[in-house]
Amino acid sequence: MIDAAPAIRQATPADVAVWAQLRLGLWPDADDPLRELEQSLADHDGAVFLACLADGEAVGFAEVRLRHDYVNGTDTSPVGFLEGWYVQPAWQGHALGRALLVAVRDWTRAAGCRELASDSRVEDERAHAAHRACGFEETERVVYFRMALDAASPR
């Protein structure tokens, strides 16, 4: 049980290691160098928010970025895009994800956006449910394809 409301705060360069560790919970194969993550925190087209317990331990994060290119299912530009959203499993169900989204929405509005978008893997039904529970609406589904272009590729 959480004794007090979680603190949601914007990450600083001093938070880069804990943010990198939390990212592994969402993206186990993430191998972004800490220096690159630190530089992304200085980018004015994005922000990272941390959900922290009373003792300061970060147990969740949300990454938001402004996207100026077309974002599937949106009508405006730029669009705030929820690049990553994660709460450690032991803390899910305690409204930390919702609290993170409040900070993301506020930041996105302050950046002049009228829409916030996100995505999720097609098979991740839990993520879909979390998005819907927080007010997102599904706009479309897309399957991406790739083709290797080497010398042996068929013509």
Side-chain angles (χ1 to χ4, degrees):
M1 191 68 154
I2 297 176
D3 294 333
I8 304 299
R9 64 176 179 80
Q10 194 163 344
T12 68
D15 297 311
V16 73
V18 71
W19 172 39
Q21 191 62 39
L22 285 167
R23 290 175 100 246
L24 291 173
L26 181 59
W27 301 301
D29 297 330
D31 62 356
D32 301 298
L34 292 182
R35 184 77 181 128
E36 286 182 22
L37 292 176
E38 188 175 296
Q39 289 171 346
S40 75
L41 289 177
D43 183 356
H44 296 292
D45 269 357
V48 175
F49 295 93
L50 298 175
C52 300
L53 303 178
D55 65 2
E57 177 188 4
V59 295
F61 77 93
E63 293 178 31
V64 61
R65 180 153 307 284
L66 297 181
R67 290 199 180 178
H68 298 274
D69 54 336
Y70 173 72
V71 174
N72 294 29
T74 64
D75 298 320
T76 61
S77 182
V79 171
F81 197 88
L82 184 61
E83 302 285 351
W85 181 35
Y86 174 77
V87 174
Q88 291 175 342
W91 296 103
Q92 292 174 6
H94 295 278
L96 294 172
R98 287 178 188 270
L100 285 164
L101 276 182
V102 168
V104 165
R105 286 194 326 249
D106 290 347
W107 182 91
T108 302
R109 277 191 205 104
C113 298
R114 295 191 345 239
E115 295 177 283
L116 175 63
S118 184
D119 64 6
S120 176
R121 291 185 319 273
V122 171
E123 69 277 4
D124 194 345
E125 291 296 328
R126 286 185 56 154
H128 302 177
H131 279 80
R132 283 189 295 273
C134 290
F136 282 95
E137 62 181 350
E138 185 175 324
T139 59
E140 59 186 71
R141 291 188 178 220
V142 177
V143 176
Y144 292 93
F145 296 90
R146 81 178 242 338
M147 176 188 296
L149 299 176
D150 58 22
S153 293
R155 294 188 189 257

